[in-house]
Amino acid sequence: MYKGDKKKIEEVGELIAQNYADKLTIEELAKQAGMCETKLKFCFRKYFQMSLHQYQIKYRMEQAAKLLHLTDQSIQDIALQVGYSSISHFTHTFKIYYRLTPTEFRKKQEEF
């Protein structure tokens, strides 16, 4: 990967982080980076050791965990805030990522 590509990939990572609740397409991200979609996917995976989609899910789950820990917002509100229109899909994804449901996660955080 070229030095210029590394900078573009870092910028794509920042763009995902800043817009994690939005549905960003690979086409949009590639256009933003000035790369073709194939090169973006290859370079992103090489740099971050995960796909663009995995990175977005990881970032969403980290933000959801922070909100569950630091706020009293409902799980449905948190799901919407981090980009999930379906609470069941959010709960399913959260459980895969943390091995706890959002409710279980929040209760466990309150114990500490």
Side-chain angles (χ1 to χ4, degrees):
M1 185 174 1
Y2 297 109
K3 201 178 221 180
D5 290 342
K6 183 180 173 184
K7 184 171 175 27
K8 289 177 183 178
I9 295 302
E10 289 171 348
E11 289 171 359
V12 168
E14 289 175 23
L15 186 64
I16 292 170
Q18 292 167 357
N19 300 284
Y20 66 90
D22 299 331
K23 283 192 171 192
L24 300 171
T25 66
I26 292 174
E27 182 182 5
E28 292 169 329
L29 294 170
K31 191 174 186 179
Q32 188 75 22
M35 297 178 158
C36 71
E37 293 175 30
T38 304
K39 184 174 183 179
L40 172 63
K41 289 190 279 188
F42 174 79
C43 291
F44 194 92
R45 183 179 290 277
K46 188 171 183 169
Y47 185 80
F48 284 104
Q49 302 296 307
M50 65 184 77
S51 71
L52 288 153
H53 184 67
Q54 289 168 327
Y55 185 84
Q56 186 177 40
I57 290 171
K58 175 182 176 286
Y59 200 87
R60 285 178 170 182
M61 292 299 104
E62 289 170 353
Q63 296 309 306
K66 285 180 191 174
L67 291 169
L68 286 165
H69 179 66
L70 299 174
T71 73
D72 291 335
Q73 288 180 297
S74 72
I75 292 168
Q76 184 172 2
D77 287 346
I78 291 171
L80 291 170
Q81 194 171 333
V82 299
Y84 287 85
S85 57
S86 163
I87 192 166
S88 62
H89 186 229
F90 168 72
T91 300
H92 176 75
T93 304
F94 193 92
K95 188 166 185 174
I96 289 171
Y97 199 82
Y98 286 104
R99 299 179 193 254
L100 298 167
T101 67
T103 303
E104 293 167 342
F105 181 88
R106 180 174 266 166
K107 285 180 182 173
K108 195 167 188 168
Q109 295 300 308
E110 289 171 357
E111 291 173 6
F112 293 104

